[in-house]
């Protein structure tokens, strides 16, 4: 009852503040505001960098290859994550342009991803499980990035523009391609992590190497809450390398540290800082939506202890630079 009274008082105060401070505004119509109707329009917008030079031109898409599915620039690309260490990031386009909230990976992109992983590995495993030496490759640790997660990469759709469509596993939905993303990743020990979103929750999932194989073929999936839903957190991910000694192997360590909003926990209608007030209001309403209203966002999205501030360890696939 006490909590309910606090919530009612806070809600009344927020409503009064919005009226008293006249924080509602009429937004003038913008003739240039419109829906982006297709993939190529979306990618093109990333090259409309602001005139003050904020942000890189293309925001990563300058590294994207051409994609036959769209007859233009692809929505996926690779990039160096460090100037001093052998770490490469690969950003995937898992949006299902044929429709649906969940995603998948088109076949042209899947083939490109395999080529990228081969190029960043001096050795890897073939589809038959045999070790393949690749002397023309370069050993780099690889971190994958995507919007969709292992639980939501399950939408092969019904159009053939980029078919076959790859899910996380072949068995995730009817129509998924024979080879799933999990199979591909576990062929390449250099892939140490897959960072994603979509589900708006903190979750860290270990995927072990296939039984009886090189332990380095395992990887971590790191999912983090959104900035709109409870608990409105971000995550700082740091990578470290530790040399082995004696019979101990070299290891890769991933530190995942959650970052809270700087907004006050309780919105203060008398806060002279409009931004701080609105941010606190958002934080409060996100909690209310997830934890007090039934059938809304998920109060458990903050995750368990193993999903929050973590230290993730795995064998190093090769001897990286310290």
């Amino acid at each position: 009852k006490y909590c309910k009274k606090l919530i009612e008082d806070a809600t009344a105060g927020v409503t009064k503040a919005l009226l008293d401070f006249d924080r509602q505004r009429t937004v003038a119509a913008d003739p240039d505001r419109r829906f982006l109707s297709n993939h190529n329009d979306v990618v093109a917008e990333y090259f409309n960098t602001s005139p003050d030079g904020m942000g890189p031109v293309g925001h990563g898409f300058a590294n994207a290859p051409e994609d036959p599915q769209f007859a233009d620039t692809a929505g996926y690309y690779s990039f160096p994550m460090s100037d001093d260490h052998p770490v490469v990031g690969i950003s995937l386009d898992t949006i299902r342009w044929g429709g649906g909230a969940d995603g998948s990976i088109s076949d042209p992109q899947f083939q490109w991803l395999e080529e990228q992983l081969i190029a960043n590995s001096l050795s890897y495993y073939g589809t038959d499980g045999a070790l393949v030496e690749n002397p023309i490759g370069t050993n780099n640790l690889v971190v994958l990035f995507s919007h969709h997660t292992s639980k939501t990469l399950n939408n092969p759709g019904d159009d053939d523009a980029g078919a076959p469509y790859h899910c996380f596993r072949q068995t995730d939905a009817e129509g998924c391609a024979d080879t799933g993303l999990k199979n591909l990743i576990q062929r390449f020990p250099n892939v140490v992590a897959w960072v994603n979103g979509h589900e708006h929750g903190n979750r860290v999932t270990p995927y072990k190497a296939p039984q009886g194989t090189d332990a380095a073929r395992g990887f971590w999936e790191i999912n983090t809450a959104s900035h709109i839903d409870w608990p409105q957190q971000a995550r700082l991910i740091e990578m470290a390398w530790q040399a082995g000694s004696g019979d101990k192997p070299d290891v890769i360590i991933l530190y995942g540290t959650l970052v809270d909003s700087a907004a006050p926990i309780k919105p203060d209608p008398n806060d002279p800082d409009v931004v701080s007030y609105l941010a606190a209001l958002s934080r409060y309403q996100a909690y209310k939506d997830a934890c007090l209203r039934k059938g809304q966002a998920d109060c458990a999205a903050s995750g368990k202890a193993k999903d929050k501030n973590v230290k993730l360890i795995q064998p190093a696939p090769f001897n990286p630079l310290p």
Side-chain angles (χ1 to χ4, degrees):
K1 292 182 179 179
Y2 174 73
C3 292
K4 182 178 180 181
K5 182 64 167 57
L6 285 178
I7 292 169
E8 290 174 348
D9 291 347
T11 302
V14 166
T15 302
K16 183 177 184 300
L18 287 172
L19 295 174
D20 291 348
F21 283 81
D22 188 26
R23 300 191 182 195
Q24 301 182 52
R25 296 286 185 271
T26 299
V27 179
D30 182 350
D32 195 40
R33 187 181 296 120
R34 66 195 184 281
F35 285 108
L36 298 175
S37 59
N38 58 55
H39 165 273
N40 291 338
D41 286 348
V42 172
V43 172
E45 283 300 312
Y46 282 94
F47 288 88
N48 290 333
T49 306
S50 58
D52 58 5
M54 295 296 290
V57 175
H59 296 266
F61 288 104
N63 295 331
E66 291 185 0
D67 189 323
Q69 180 183 0
F70 304 108
D72 207 332
T73 302
Y76 45 87
Y77 54 88
S78 63
F79 60 98
M81 295 184 64
S82 171
D83 293 331
D84 302 315
H85 304 290
V87 186
V88 168
I90 298 180
S91 179
L92 302 175
D93 178 8
T94 58
I95 302 301
R96 190 64 182 87
W97 293 95
D102 290 345
S104 58
I105 300 176
S106 66
D107 195 57
Q109 179 178 187
F110 196 81
Q111 303 305 324
W112 171 88
L113 174 58
E114 182 178 25
E115 293 171 358
Q116 291 294 306
L117 295 178
I118 290 174
N120 285 286
S121 304
L122 281 174
S123 64
Y124 59 93
Y125 292 87
T127 55
D128 59 355
L131 183 65
V132 178
E133 299 295 342
N134 181 33
I136 64 173
T138 303
N139 260 346
N140 288 301
L141 300 175
V142 177
V143 180
L144 301 181
F145 299 89
S146 73
H147 178 81
H148 290 92
T149 65
S150 58
K151 292 183 178 181
T152 59
L153 203 68
N154 57 7
N155 179 15
D158 56 5
D159 68 82
D160 60 1
Y165 286 91
H166 299 260
C167 304
F168 183 60
R169 302 178 184 87
Q170 179 188 0
T171 56
D172 285 339
E174 184 178 355
C176 294
D178 292 344
T179 305
L181 181 63
K182 180 173 182 284
N183 304 100
L184 181 61
I185 293 176
Q186 290 186 323
R187 289 174 48 207
F188 294 88
N190 291 12
V191 179
V192 295
W194 176 23
V195 181
N196 46 41
H198 189 63
E199 294 185 63
H200 294 196
N202 294 323
R203 188 180 75 247
V204 175
T205 307
Y207 286 98
K208 295 182 179 180
Q211 188 173 5
T213 66
D214 181 2
R217 292 172 65 177
F219 65 95
W220 295 96
E221 180 185 13
I222 304 174
N223 187 252
T224 304
S226 76
H227 290 171
I228 189 171
D229 284 329
W230 170 262
Q232 292 195 342
Q233 290 177 321
R235 193 193 299 266
L236 177 66
I237 299 176
E238 300 172 278
M239 182 183 295
W241 167 76
Q242 180 175 302
S245 59
D247 295 330
K248 295 181 180 179
D250 295 344
V251 295
I252 300 297
I253 304 172
L254 299 174
Y255 296 94
T257 307
L258 293 177
V259 180
D260 284 317
S261 165
I265 296 176
K266 182 178 180 181
D268 179 5
N270 298 312
D271 188 343
D273 185 340
V274 175
V275 173
S276 173
Y277 172 76
L278 290 178
L281 178 59
S282 173
R283 192 175 187 183
Y284 164 76
Q285 289 294 344
Y287 168 75
K288 185 176 179 181
D289 184 59
C291 302
L292 301 179
R293 295 185 181 123
K294 293 183 179 180
Q296 301 297 312
D298 187 0
C299 191
S302 56
K304 300 178 181 179
K306 67 181 181 63
D307 302 308
K308 298 183 180 181
N309 295 325
V310 292
K311 178 182 179 181
L312 309 175
I313 302 174
Q314 65 187 91
F318 59 88
N319 184 5
L321 297 176

